[in-house]
């Protein structure tokens, strides 16, 4: 029996233990068919492909990005089947629809894919995702370290044990902690456990930072990581976070596209002759946006090439150094101008971060990557 030349759009609602399946024929007037749920194993996927190939010559799979990752996308791609991963926040939904089931989600994905209403996301390569996991693991460790320090300081405050020094977690502060004596033996044990927790988290952060520095030297995007460190406020860890989260920055056609992806563009609610803009959209990647915003604080001060920045610039091409200096002169001046106009500091920082992303994009375009 000859196969049909039409395409089948297959929606997958992926969960840990099951995958709900529905397909929509290419004909817009045809109904979407639900096939129920299958298992998440590769043999289950193979059986599904064989079943669908008997109905249509070409298959287009689609599923939402979620906690199950990209293994399904990579497996289907290796099988020679097209697969798109879509952003859950950009899937069209009917406001009055109050019923949500796996079957309805799969049907909606298939129908929306057929009509072209879905926005596909960028799926990183396995090596890029591994680097991103290392950088995110370091961020998690930093967050846990901060929480451990907070618990220790809160415990001491409850005992009215106060440090009179100028800064905490310096060598002097650590010596002071070693001499702390709590009112009771039980509280002393709790105090020592808090101190030990801080020490363990510090060691965890150091291990992950060492691994990050080791892995980045063998990464295909290592030249981009080195190049964007020409920007003031972007050191190694910030550069790794930015590139690991965004991938190849040149995949964005224009700087404005990159700004939009980072969620640094203003939101808008306009109707008729009325145009109203609000805060930034905060769409896209939060890790990369946070790395940019943290780096912006360096532009509060006058333009200057400090010793640490000079060391980073020594190995970079002259055109990259020129962009870095141009960015520093412009963004430092921009920070002063916006502050003088009475803008809130958070608005100023976001505005500088938006332009900083454009300079990072310009630098990335100058860096050749290994094939």
């Amino acid at each position: 029996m000859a196969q049909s030349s039409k395409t089948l759009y297959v929606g997958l609602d992926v969960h840990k233990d099951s995958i709900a399946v529905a397909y929509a024929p290419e004909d817009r007037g045809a109904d979407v068919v639900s096939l129920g749920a299958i298992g998440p194993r590769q043999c289950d996927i193979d059986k599904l492909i064989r079943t669908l190939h008997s109905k249509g010559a070409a298959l287009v799979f689609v599923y939402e990005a979620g906690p199950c990752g990209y293994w399904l996308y990579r497996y289907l791609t290796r099988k020679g089947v097209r697969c798109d991963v879509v952003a859950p926040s950009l899937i069209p939904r009917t406001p009055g629809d109050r019923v949500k089931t796996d079957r309805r989600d799969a049907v909606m994905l298939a129908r929306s894919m057929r009509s072209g209403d879905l926005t596909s996301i960028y799926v990183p390569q396995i090596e890029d995702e591994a680097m991103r996991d290392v950088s995110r693991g370091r961020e998690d460790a930093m967050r846990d370290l901060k929480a451990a320090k907070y618990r220790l300081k809160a415990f001491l405050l409850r005992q009215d044990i106060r440090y009179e020094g100028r800064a905490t977690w310096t060598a002097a502060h650590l010596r002071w902690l070693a001499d702390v004596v709590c009112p009771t033996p039980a509280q002393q044990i709790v105090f020592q456990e808090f101190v030990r927790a801080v020490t363990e988290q510090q060691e965890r952060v150091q291990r992950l930072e060492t691994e990050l520095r080791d892995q980045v030297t063998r990464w295909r995007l290592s030249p981009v990581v080195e190049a964007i460190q020409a920007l003031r406020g972007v050191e190694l860890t910030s550069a790794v976070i930015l590139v690991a989260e965004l991938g190849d920055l040149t995949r964005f056609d224009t700087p404005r596209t990159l700004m939009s992806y980072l969620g640094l563009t203003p939101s808008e609610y306009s109707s008729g002759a009325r145009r109203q803009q609000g805060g930034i959209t905060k769409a896209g990647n939060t890790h990369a946006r946070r790395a940019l915003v943290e780096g912006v604080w360096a532009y509060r001060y006058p333009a200057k090439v400090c010793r640490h920045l000079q060391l980073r610039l020594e190995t970079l091409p002259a055109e990259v150094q020129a962009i870095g200096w141009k960015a520093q002169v412009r963004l430092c001046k921009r920070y002063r101008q916006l502050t003088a106009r009475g803008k809130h500091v958070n608005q100023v920082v976001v505005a500088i971060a938006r332009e900083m992303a454009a300079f990072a994009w310009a630098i990335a375009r100058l860096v050749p990557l290994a094939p």
Side-chain angles (χ1 to χ4, degrees), residues 190-317:
V190 174
F191 167 73
Q192 294 301 149
E193 289 293 339
F194 280 139
V195 172
R196 183 178 178 183
V198 172
T199 303
E200 290 175 349
Q201 294 302 328
Q202 287 175 333
E203 293 173 352
R204 177 186 169 199
V205 170
Q206 291 173 358
R207 289 194 301 269
L208 287 169
E209 288 183 344
T210 301
E211 183 66 20
L212 185 144
R213 291 189 177 93
D214 180 61
Q215 291 294 332
V216 75
T217 58
R218 301 190 293 270
W219 191 24
R220 70 181 185 91
L221 295 176
S222 177
V224 182
V225 172
E226 294 180 2
I228 64 175
Q229 291 183 65
L231 295 173
R232 184 176 182 176
V234 181
E235 298 185 356
L236 178 62
T237 53
S238 299
V240 171
I241 292 173
L242 194 61
V243 178
E245 296 295 339
L246 300 178
D248 184 4
L249 272 66
T250 59
R251 67 187 178 91
F252 299 97
D253 297 330
T254 62
R256 188 175 296 275
T257 307
L258 174 58
M259 297 172 190
S260 178
Y261 179 82
L262 289 167
L264 291 171
T265 53
S267 58
E268 183 173 344
Y269 184 82
S270 301
S271 179
R274 179 187 179 190
R275 183 172 183 265
Q276 181 178 358
Q277 288 186 315
I280 59 174
T281 61
K282 294 187 178 180
N285 195 289
T286 58
H287 301 273
R289 183 170 64 249
R290 182 170 59 250
L292 276 175
V293 170
E294 288 178 354
V296 164
W297 293 103
Y299 294 95
R300 293 176 295 172
Y301 309 104
K304 176 184 177 182
V305 179
C306 64
R307 177 175 176 273
H308 296 291
L309 181 57
Q310 181 61 44
L311 292 175
R312 300 202 302 266
L313 291 172
E314 287 177 353
T315 59
L316 298 178

Side-chain angles (χ1 to χ4, degrees), residues 156-157 159-165 176:
L156 293 175
L157 183 60
Q159 314 306 320
D160 196 29
I161 301 175
R162 303 171 185 269
Y163 177 61
E164 302 298 336
W176 176 82

Side-chain angles (χ1 to χ4, degrees), residues 34 61 79 84 131 193 215 337:
S34 173
F61 286 84
K79 301 288 286 186
D84 287 7
M131 200 67 207
E193 289 293 339
Q215 291 294 332
Q337 288 176 339

